[in-house]
Amino acid sequence: MIETLFGGLLGGVFRLAPELLKWLDRQGERHHELAMQDKALEFEKLRGAQRMAEIGANADAAWNTGALASLREAIRAQGESSTVRWVDALSSSVRPVITYWLMALYCAAKSAVFVAAINAGAGLITAIVHAWTESDQALWAGVLNFWFLGRVFDKVKL
C-alpha cells in the first residue's frame, strides 16, 4: 500500500515538475524582458538627452554666427561715411576729443599730486618720484605702443 501511495505521489511529482519548470522559466523570461525594456528606456533617454544637447549646440553655433555677422556689419558700417559732412566731422572727432579730455584730466591729477607733495615740504626729486608711479609708467607705455606701433602695422599692412 505504501508503494501505491509512494508511486502515486511520485507520478504526481513527475507530472507537476515540468509545469513548475515551465512556470519558473516564464517568470525568468518576464524578468529578463522587463530588464531589457528598462535598458532600452535608459538608452532612449540617453539618446534623447544627446539629441537635445546637439540641438542646443547647433542653436548656440547659429546664434554665435549671427552675432559675429552683426558685429562685422556694425564695424564695417562705422567705417563708412554718411552723406552729411558735419555728421562725419563730428563722428571722426569723438575719439580724439575724448582722448585729449582724459589726458588733460590725467595730467591735472598728476600735477595736483606733484603740487601737494611740494606744498607738504617734499623736495623736487621726491615729489616727482611720488607723482610718477609704476602704474603710470605702464599706462604711458601702453599709450605710446598703441599710437606708434599702430603706425608701423599700418605701413606693413599685415
Side-chain angles (χ1 to χ4, degrees), residues 91-147:
S91 177
S92 64
S93 71
V94 170
R95 286 189 209 178
V97 167
I98 290 174
T99 301
Y100 291 136
W101 181 60
L102 287 175
M103 280 295 123
L105 285 176
Y106 181 80
C107 290
K110 285 298 168 179
S111 296
V113 168
F114 178 75
V115 169
I118 293 291
N119 288 340
L124 183 63
I125 301 296
T126 306
I128 291 173
V129 167
H130 287 291
W132 186 257
T133 64
E134 287 183 21
S135 298
D136 298 318
Q137 187 172 344
L139 176 69
W140 279 102
V143 169
L144 292 175
N145 284 336
F146 175 80
W147 286 111

Side-chain angles (χ1 to χ4, degrees), residues 15-65:
R15 175 65 185 114
L16 287 176
E19 294 301 319
L20 179 65
L21 290 174
K22 283 181 194 176
W23 180 77
L24 288 173
D25 188 43
R26 281 190 301 247
Q27 188 176 11
E29 285 178 11
R30 286 185 197 120
H31 284 301
H32 176 71
E33 189 173 325
L34 185 60
M36 291 303 291
Q37 286 178 355
D38 286 343
K39 294 290 183 189
L41 182 62
E42 281 182 45
F43 178 72
E44 288 299 321
K45 284 181 182 178
L46 286 173
R47 190 164 43 176
Q50 181 182 13
R51 181 68 182 137
M52 291 302 292
E54 183 180 320
I55 289 170
N58 287 340
D60 285 347
W63 188 89
N64 287 339
T65 301

